[in-house]
Amino acid sequence: MDVLSLEHEVGAWDSVLLDPLTEDSFIANLHMRYKRDHIYTYIGNVLVSVNPYKKLALYSPDVARAYLCHGPHQLPPHVYASAACAYRFLRDRHEDQCVVVSGESGAGKTEAARLVLAFLSAAAAAAAAAASAAAIRERLVQSAPLLEAFGNAKTYRNDNSSRFGKYLDIEFDYKGDPLGGTITNYLLEKSRVTSHAPGERNFHIFYQLLTGADIHLLKQLKLQRNLDNYSFLRNSNNRCHGPDSIDDRHDFQVTRRAMDMLGFMQDEVMSVFKIVASVLKLGNITFVPTNNIDGTEGCTVNNDYELYDVCELLGTEQGALQTALTSRTLLPGTVSGTDDGEEPVTAELSAGEATHARDALCKALYSRLFTWLVTRINDSTKVKRYGRRKVLGILDVYGFEVFDKNGFEQLIINFCNEKLHQVVVEMALREEQEEYVREGLEWTHIDFFNNSAICSLIEKNSHGLLSLLDEEGLRTDEQFLSRLSQGPAGQRPELLATASNSGNNLPPNCFRLKHFAGTVTYNVTGFVEKNNDILPRDLSQSMYRCEHPLLKTLFPEGNPKRSTLKRPASTGAQFKISLSALVRSVTSKTPHYVRCVKPNELKQPRIFEMALVAHQVRYLGLVETVRVRRAGFCHRQTYSSFLSRYHMLSPHTWPHWAGTPVEGVSYLVRDLPIPSGEFAFGRTKIFVRSPRSIYELEEFRLVRLEDLAVLIQKVWRGYRDRQLFLLKRRSQIIIASAWKSWRECRFGVSFKGRRHLWCLYRVAREEYRILKRRKQIEWAVSVIQRHYVCWKRRQFLLRLSRLLPPESESPTYRDWPPCPRRLADTSLLLRRLHHKWRCHKYRLKFDQTARNRMREKVTASIIFKERKASYPRSVSHPFLGDYVRLRQNVQWKKTCVETNDQYVVFADIINKITRSSGKFVPILFVLSTSSMLILDQRTLQIKYRVPAAEIYRLSLSPYIDDVAVFHVRALSPSSDASHQNIPGCLFQSDLGKKKGDFIFQTGHVIEIVTKLFLVIQNAVGKPPEVNISTEFEANFGQQTVLFTFKCLGMPEVPPGQIRIVRKANKMEVLL
């Protein structure tokens, strides 16, 4: 612990103390400290970290505890100090915090973010004792090695380079205990799965699996330990696998342990490894060109054994996967531009196209597996309880990259860094200086490089680089480059583009972009394809059909029931949206910056390349940050909030301040033992110069709060003890008074002397014996009474069970044994419970058909009970549905396939009442799950077909007649066109407008209306209106007719029969 002292620091531990301050002195100070392994340096509250490329003894639990117990600038600079400051602000101030780790590739961002997470876990462990909190901490820590195994790789610049962006939000409760966390990932570099530069490596998990898995696991995955057996791993530099660089065997054990700690089941782990093995095996599949009879080029799989292994791992048929890889199905409309009567066309792929399809499948498999892993980790670490809590975010994104050949992935990575740098510059330099001027403080403007123009050039909606890639007619990379040279390249000096035939110094098919960290030349080859990122539908459907448990989740678009052909959002558009959300999240929190610097390109310790470090210092704006921090302030707060937080530190402002906040703050600052030069008063805010002053304020506040807490405890304990004393005093007075009164009444005179005291003792002993005897009798009576009551309850229940006959288990049995008057309420409750129990037992005997019939009967009761006179006679008759056995009719089976009405709900020959004369016409009425059909009873020809969604009301009379009117919705011209191709549809042409509503008469009217009610409810999601009235209107095409039901008891009308009379716009039904 002696090492943790500012006295042992070399050079300036805070760059604000440098004098003179120049770029050379700043870099020299970093170099001096780097040689002594002092890799951290402050710039006010900003931390600069230089990658040491070796293990340092700076991260023990004792060191973490020391930084947790000390404030900023009390111990040497450390990443733990920045994490402790963020944690302390979140816990004490209840404000959302964010640790932003930035720098170029190889600067040590991933390690710094991992150390921040480890410190937060240790800090929470020191404050929490609950087992659930410990489990959450361990899961959050273990998420890092798992994501690094699947998302990191070795590049030229970094042995553990993050090939994805990661933002971790950790939620804390009011005590500072972690409740859970959420990880957001940004654009995995999936092209690395199929190709990477010589000397670099693929993702770590491939090497970990082949090197660290036991022989039994490799045999299950159909893998071999030799890396050279796999095409996707052959370009890797073999020296990377040595013990001096990366220990894949040890890392595999760490990955497995992380999966176990995160709650992965054994079958989930095996499913993940099977997909990883399938990607490796797919990479070995090669294709041989063939010539077809029609002169086109096709191909076949050269090594069927590799394809067989892949099919075994994914659980699919070899022929289906081979067809998806070597052919493509062209949907109607893609061949001739229209889809009128076209059938899907299958076209064979050439060997090159099949290889391209194989690579696309490999990239989709791996990237979607990575997204699933992030989702699975979030399920394991998410907050189980609802409510808004304080959040601490850790941002670790890819570093800025410049390679010999830079593609679409490098543009996205560098754009992310460009945007993050813009946010840091805006918050740390521009907004801070503008606030000083706005608050009226004396300030000399400090110039800095603003990269807003570059960000706008990339993300602008109309003419930005990513917007050009999303244009409709853009299909080739050459078109994109030409469009780029005609648009932004001719208007912005930051962009230089050239076509393949230009004669300037740019390589062919390239454009050059001037980033904040330097100029990068991008090759546009593959830009359009990687931006669209569309997986052929044949491959998606093939993956969806696999028996592998994860593939249906990974490829939902492969579901044949999903008929949408909408083009998904492009990669660039998705990344812009997610990056905008990230920027909003970061800017809404209090930031803490860790700026990482790479000392050399060789990734070796003790080497400090001045030119390389100077370039990073320059584009990161570190010297400008030092100038702003030296002349500016580290903390600002409105007067009212500052006074509300620290008003207990001054006798003038405690407990209440009645004046203006500015005056209260001035009194408060005057009473503090902190130099007045540490504070500056603005128009609306007070500014504090150094972080140490903020820490001292918090320490003073903590001590004062402890004193106030002790004062509250002291006053409360005094009040509580005084109330107890007063209670005892009142009790003693009452007892003494009662004793004196009893003594006077019992003996008449007051007694004095020992003799009289002995008499009083004997009297008291006798009274005590009597009281004790009385208490024993009362206790015995209560015990006997309690047991008697229990016995009576048991006797009542046993008598009740004996008196209930066996037929009482039927729900229709209504008798119930009598009971004593005192148990009437209990008997009523038992009767209700018994009825529920026997109803439940009765329902358990139902099969699916009986359940459906019971549902229909219950629905009929809800609709018609006490509303329709003919309802009671229908209760005892079951609803059969198909009264004419239409389902077995051969001609109907052919017809229903064309109209998609295979499922018949009701079929019977009923009477259709004509609109003009009211005559009865026998027809075959069919009700399916989707429509109502009227057929000729002899030929089964469809006369009318009405979709269930078009029937909106059902009308009946309350009498015993069997007439029902089905109201059909009038169609708009647009809906007419949508139904023209449906055979036998009512709405073909103008029939819908002419025919209107239907009138039927049948003895099964209750059943028809009930079934139609349920069909319409299932079709549209809400029940139709059921109108039961003696008068209602009906639409007869071009006119509206008033229906009237009259019960006259006419002699010419037999009982149960009806007569219908049509009079102009009225139709009377006489009963």
Side-chain angles (χ1 to χ4, degrees):
M1 298 299 293
D2 294 339
V3 180
L4 297 178
S5 173
L6 294 176
E7 298 177 358
H8 298 84
E9 289 295 293
V10 177
W13 53 273
D14 191 345
S15 300
V16 174
L17 305 176
L18 278 175
D19 192 22
L21 174 60
T22 62
E23 181 180 300
D24 293 337
S25 64
F26 180 81
I27 297 174
N29 183 58
L30 291 180
H31 187 198
M32 183 189 311
R33 295 176 58 78
Y34 180 75
K35 289 190 297 184
R36 297 290 298 273
D37 291 335
H38 295 179
I39 62 173
Y40 298 113
T41 305
Y42 282 134
I43 305 178
N45 57 353
V46 178
L47 182 70
V48 179
S49 172
V50 184
N51 194 345
Y53 290 117
K54 65 177 182 179
K55 300 290 184 180
L56 296 178
L58 298 177
Y59 311 107
S60 65
D62 293 337
V63 174
R65 281 193 294 271
Y67 278 95
L68 182 63
C69 299
H70 291 76
H73 293 194
Q74 289 189 329
L75 295 178
H78 201 289
V79 68
Y80 284 173
S82 297
C85 185
Y87 178 74
R88 195 177 295 112
F89 270 49
L90 177 136
R91 183 193 61 192
D92 298 339
R93 293 177 175 269
H94 304 287
E95 299 174 355
D96 291 345
Q97 308 292 315
C98 181
V99 179
V100 181
V101 185
S102 60
E104 70 174 60
S105 179
K109 299 184 303 303
T110 300
E111 185 65 23
R114 185 191 299 171
L115 291 172
V116 170
L117 181 59
F119 175 83
L120 293 176
S121 175
S132 58
I136 289 295
R137 292 195 307 271
E138 187 63 27
R139 289 176 182 175
L140 290 173
V141 172
Q142 292 299 329
S143 65
L146 179 59
L147 292 181
E148 288 179 15
F150 283 85
N152 288 22
K154 179 187 181 300
T155 64
Y156 285 125
R157 299 172 176 268
N158 190 355
D159 286 351
N160 190 30
S161 176
S162 296
R163 311 315 299 163
F164 72 103
K166 181 179 72 173
Y167 178 66
L168 171 61
D169 261 339
I170 309 175
E171 295 191 33
F172 294 83
D173 61 8
Y174 69 97
K175 303 188 300 294
D177 297 341
L179 301 175
T182 304
I183 298 174
T184 306
N185 64 303
Y186 301 95
L187 193 65
L188 178 72
E189 186 197 13
K190 59 184 176 182
S191 62
R192 181 171 291 271
V193 174
T194 58
S195 63
H196 52 272
E200 294 189 354
R201 297 210 320 175
N202 211 317
F203 291 102
H204 292 328
I205 188 60
F206 294 118
Y207 307 94
Q208 293 179 9
L209 182 60
L210 295 178
T211 306
D214 56 48
I215 193 65
H216 177 68
L217 179 58
L218 291 179
K219 187 176 181 180
Q220 285 183 297
L221 300 177
K222 304 184 184 302
L223 296 177
Q224 300 175 3
R225 206 174 292 277
N226 189 359
L227 300 178
D228 295 330
N229 290 343
Y230 302 98
S231 174
F232 288 164
L233 308 181
R234 286 173 189 158
N235 289 336
S236 303
N237 193 345
N238 291 332
R239 69 180 177 85
C240 296
H241 317 309
D244 296 335
S245 178
I246 300 174
D247 189 355
D248 291 316
R249 185 184 299 276
H250 172 265
D251 292 344
F252 180 73
Q253 302 303 324
V254 173
T255 303
R256 283 299 306 270
R257 185 163 58 252
M259 298 178 82
D260 293 338
M261 291 299 300
L262 287 166
F264 280 73
M265 305 300 292
Q266 187 60 36
D267 56 344
E268 289 180 318
V269 176
M270 197 64 189
S271 299
V272 170
F273 287 154
K274 281 185 177 181
I275 293 181
V276 175
S278 300
V279 172
L280 288 176
K281 303 290 286 185
L282 277 170
N284 289 346
I285 296 177
T286 57
F287 301 92
V288 178
T290 59
N291 293 322
N292 299 324
I293 299 177
D294 57 358
T296 60
E297 182 182 348
C299 66
T300 59
V301 176
N302 185 30
N303 40 0
D304 292 336
Y305 57 90
E306 296 282 8
L307 182 62
Y308 175 79
D309 289 346
V310 173
C311 295
E312 286 289 319
L313 291 170
L314 299 182
T316 186
E317 296 180 2
Q318 182 174 353
L321 183 56
Q322 181 172 350
T323 302
L325 288 172
T326 58
S327 62
R328 187 72 65 247
T329 301
L330 303 178
L331 298 176
T334 59
V335 180
S336 61
T338 63
D339 57 353
D340 296 337
E342 289 189 12
E343 294 292 335
V345 178
T346 301
E348 294 192 14
L349 302 180
S350 64
E353 292 172 339
T355 302
H356 182 76
R358 177 207 66 187
D359 291 348
L361 177 60
C362 293
K363 291 186 285 188
L365 273 170
Y366 192 83
S367 63
R368 298 185 187 197
L369 173 64
F370 184 78
T371 304
W372 180 87
L373 282 173
V374 174
T375 305
R376 179 64 178 79
I377 293 173
N378 287 338
D379 291 340
S380 177
T381 60
K382 68 181 179 182
V383 179
K384 302 300 187 295
R385 291 169 289 177
Y386 296 99
R388 175 62 180 163
R389 299 170 183 87
K390 295 306 173 185
V391 176
L392 193 152
I394 303 175
L395 177 60
D396 174 25
V397 297
Y398 356 65
F400 189 86
E401 294 182 344
V402 183
F403 296 138
D404 295 335
K405 182 179 179 181
N406 303 285
F408 180 76
E409 292 81 5
Q410 278 67 47
L411 175 64
I412 293 295
I413 290 173
N414 293 342
F415 168 53
C416 180
N417 280 268
E418 196 83 48
K419 194 68 178 177
L420 181 60
H421 181 73
Q422 179 192 20
V423 172
V424 174
V425 168
E426 291 277 335
M427 298 176 67
L429 297 178
R430 186 182 67 82
E431 292 181 0
E432 187 163 344
Q433 296 190 72
E434 290 178 354
E435 186 173 22
Y436 295 155
V437 175
R438 188 168 56 249
E439 290 292 326
L441 302 181
E442 293 186 5
W443 184 257
T444 302
H445 183 73
I446 298 174
D447 295 327
F448 58 91
F449 173 71
N450 193 336
N451 66 331
S452 300
I454 304 173
C455 294
S456 177
L457 178 63
I458 299 175
E459 66 177 347
K460 191 176 181 181
N461 289 333
S462 56
H463 299 292
L465 267 68
L466 298 180
S467 299
L468 291 178
L469 281 172
D470 291 337
E471 287 187 351
E472 287 291 336
L474 199 64
R475 298 187 180 277
T476 63
D477 300 324
E478 289 75 13
Q479 291 176 350
F480 166 67
L481 187 60
S482 175
R483 184 74 180 84
L484 195 63
S485 59
Q486 295 172 6
Q491 305 171 6
R492 305 295 291 271
E494 296 88 358
L495 177 64
L496 177 62
T498 177
S500 57
N501 56 358
S502 299
N504 54 21
N505 60 346
L506 274 177
N509 296 328
C510 293
F511 69 91
R512 185 170 293 155
L513 186 60
K514 184 178 180 182
H515 288 282
F516 77 100
T519 303
V520 182
T521 301
Y522 297 98
N523 192 311
V524 299
T525 303
F527 261 54
V528 175
E529 177 192 349
K530 293 176 180 178
N531 182 61
N532 292 333
D533 191 25
I534 299 176
L535 185 67
R537 186 169 177 81
D538 298 292
L539 293 174
S540 299
Q541 292 180 344
S542 176
M543 292 296 101
Y544 187 85
R545 296 190 191 100
C546 294
E547 297 178 359
H548 191 283
L550 296 184
L551 291 185
K552 284 183 173 57
T553 304
L554 300 185
F555 294 88
E557 74 277 10
N559 189 347
K561 296 181 180 179
R562 294 184 58 174
S563 58
T564 177
L565 299 177
K566 183 180 178 181
R567 178 184 176 184
S570 64
T571 302
Q574 294 179 24
F575 189 75
K576 278 201 303 182
I577 295 172
S578 58
L579 193 58
S580 299
L582 173 65
V583 170
R584 287 194 300 270
S585 178
V586 172
T587 53
S588 66
K589 300 177 176 64
T590 303
H592 302 266
Y593 301 109
V594 179
R595 313 303 295 270
C596 298
V597 176
K598 180 171 63 176
N600 60 78
E601 295 281 7
L602 303 177
K603 296 179 287 189
Q604 298 294 326
R606 299 288 183 180
I607 299 178
F608 194 89
E609 298 179 4
M610 289 291 186
L612 178 63
V613 175
H615 176 66
Q616 297 174 75
V617 168
R618 204 170 295 122
Y619 74 69
L620 289 175
L622 297 183
V623 177
E624 291 81 359
T625 305
V626 176
R627 292 194 177 101
V628 172
R629 289 293 185 271
R630 170 181 283 185
F633 303 86
C634 75
H635 181 74
R636 61 201 53 80
Q637 202 168 359
T638 60
Y639 291 121
S640 57
S641 60
F642 187 86
L643 184 62
S644 174
R645 185 166 184 83
Y646 301 111
H647 67 290
M648 72 287 297
L649 300 181
S650 172
H652 296 91
T653 57
W654 175 260
H656 301 289
W657 173 254
T660 62
V662 179
E663 295 176 355
V665 171
S666 63
Y667 278 107
L668 175 61
V669 170
R670 195 178 307 144
D671 294 335
L672 290 173
I674 299 177
S676 58
E678 287 291 311
F679 302 95
F681 287 79
R683 291 190 175 95
T684 61
K685 296 180 180 179
I686 183 172
F687 294 81
V688 185
R689 188 170 299 277
S690 66
R692 179 173 292 181
S693 299
I694 294 295
Y695 177 74
E696 291 177 353
L697 278 173
E698 291 295 329
E699 287 296 313
F700 294 154
R701 179 177 181 271
L702 183 61
V703 173
R704 179 59 176 158
L705 288 177
E706 291 179 355
D707 294 341
L708 293 175
V710 171
L711 177 62
I712 293 172
Q713 290 177 353
K714 180 178 66 176
V715 173
W716 160 249
R717 288 170 180 168
Y719 168 79
R720 183 190 61 187
D721 291 343
R722 176 167 177 78
Q723 293 298 318
L724 182 61
F725 165 74
L726 293 177
L727 178 63
K728 291 180 178 179
R729 183 181 177 186
R730 287 195 298 270
S731 301
Q732 186 269 336
I733 293 174
I734 292 173
I735 294 172
S737 175
W739 168 256
K740 291 177 180 178
S741 300
W742 176 84
R743 186 182 59 185
E744 295 291 339
C745 294
R746 183 69 178 263
F747 301 101
V749 293
S750 58
F751 290 89
K752 298 180 181 178
R754 291 185 177 180
R755 179 171 172 273
H756 303 298
L757 287 177
W758 173 249
C759 295
L760 291 176
Y761 168 73
R762 291 198 311 177
V763 171
R765 187 173 62 180
E766 182 65 19
E767 291 291 333
Y768 171 75
R769 187 186 64 79
I770 295 173
L771 288 175
K772 183 177 180 181
R773 176 65 177 172
R774 187 181 303 164
K775 285 288 184 181
Q776 289 177 344
I777 295 174
E778 291 176 355
W779 172 82
V781 169
S782 64
V783 171
I784 295 172
Q785 183 182 16
R786 185 168 63 251
H787 283 77
Y788 176 75
V789 169
C790 293
W791 176 80
K792 288 295 291 183
R793 290 172 181 169
R794 180 177 176 85
Q795 291 299 315
F796 171 71
L797 295 176
L798 291 175
R799 175 179 171 275
L800 188 63
S801 64
R802 288 194 302 269
L803 293 179
L804 283 176
E807 58 270 15
S808 64
E809 295 187 2
S810 172
T812 59
Y813 187 79
R814 298 185 176 275
D815 293 338
W816 188 254
C819 68
R821 187 169 51 123
R822 292 179 177 273
L823 298 177
D825 294 339
T826 304
S827 178
L828 181 60
L829 291 175
L830 289 174
R831 185 173 185 177
R832 292 174 180 173
L833 290 174
H834 180 262
H835 182 67
K836 290 183 179 179
W837 169 78
R838 63 188 183 180
C839 290
H840 175 69
K841 286 193 63 177
Y842 182 75
R843 288 195 301 268
L844 291 179
K845 300 176 182 178
F846 286 0
D847 56 6
Q848 188 59 42
T849 302
R851 290 175 188 270
N852 293 338
R853 290 180 178 175
M854 180 57 71
R855 179 178 176 232
E856 292 172 352
K857 285 292 184 179
V858 172
T859 304
S861 175
I862 295 172
I863 297 174
F864 297 109
K865 188 175 182 180
E866 298 180 357
R867 299 181 67 193
K868 181 73 172 172
S870 60
Y871 167 71
R873 68 184 183 185
S874 69
V875 173
S876 60
H877 296 283
F879 291 168
L880 301 180
D882 189 1
Y883 290 91
V884 296
R885 301 185 67 183
L886 184 64
R887 298 187 184 98
Q888 286 77 29
N889 191 288
V890 177
Q891 184 178 352
W892 166 255
K893 291 182 179 179
K894 296 179 180 179
T895 304
C896 67
V897 173
E898 299 175 359
T899 61
N900 196 23
D901 294 306
Q902 294 92 333
Y903 303 101
V904 176
V905 178
F906 180 87
D908 192 13
I909 296 176
I910 67 175
N911 293 323
K912 177 178 176 292
I913 301 175
T914 60
R915 297 172 175 84
S916 58
S917 60
K919 293 183 179 180
F920 293 175
V921 179
I923 52 98
L924 176 58
F925 180 87
V926 179
L927 180 63
S928 70
T929 56
S930 59
S931 62
M932 178 185 76
L933 297 94
I934 300 174
L935 289 77
D936 187 274
Q937 59 178 333
R938 296 182 180 84
T939 62
L940 295 187
Q941 180 182 359
I942 298 177
K943 294 183 178 181
Y944 306 110
R945 181 180 183 274
V946 183
E950 302 300 334
I951 302 174
Y952 68 95
R953 184 187 301 152
L954 311 174
S955 295
L956 302 92
S957 78
Y959 302 129
I960 202 167
D961 63 283
D962 296 328
V963 177
V965 179
F966 299 162
H967 300 270
V968 181
R969 185 176 287 106
L971 295 180
S972 62
S974 59
S975 61
D976 291 342
S978 64
H979 293 281
Q980 286 180 1
N981 296 327
I982 302 176
C985 181
L986 169 65
F987 304 109
Q988 193 168 353
S989 184
D990 291 329
L991 290 177
K993 299 179 181 177
K994 294 179 181 178
K995 292 297 181 182
D997 303 335
F998 288 89
I999 313 168
F1000 299 109
Q1001 186 271 336
T1002 173
H1004 304 293
V1005 66
I1006 301 296
E1007 180 177 357
I1008 288 180
V1009 173
T1010 300
K1011 291 180 178 290
L1012 185 57
F1013 179 89
L1014 294 174
V1015 168
I1016 297 173
Q1017 183 177 2
N1018 293 336
V1020 300
K1022 61 179 181 179
E1025 179 185 354
V1026 180
N1027 179 26
I1028 300 179
S1029 175
T1030 57
E1031 288 187 358
F1032 50 81
E1033 292 183 347
N1035 179 20
F1036 284 1
Q1038 303 299 328
Q1039 60 180 336
T1040 301
V1041 176
L1042 178 65
F1043 258 81
T1044 305
F1045 289 82
K1046 296 182 179 180
C1047 186
L1048 302 178
M1050 299 176 62
E1052 62 270 18
V1053 181
Q1057 300 296 320
I1058 62 173
R1059 186 163 65 90
I1060 300 176
V1061 180
R1062 173 69 185 271
K1063 297 178 181 180
N1065 290 338
K1066 286 188 177 182
M1067 182 170 281
E1068 295 182 351
V1069 182
L1070 305 178
L1071 289 83

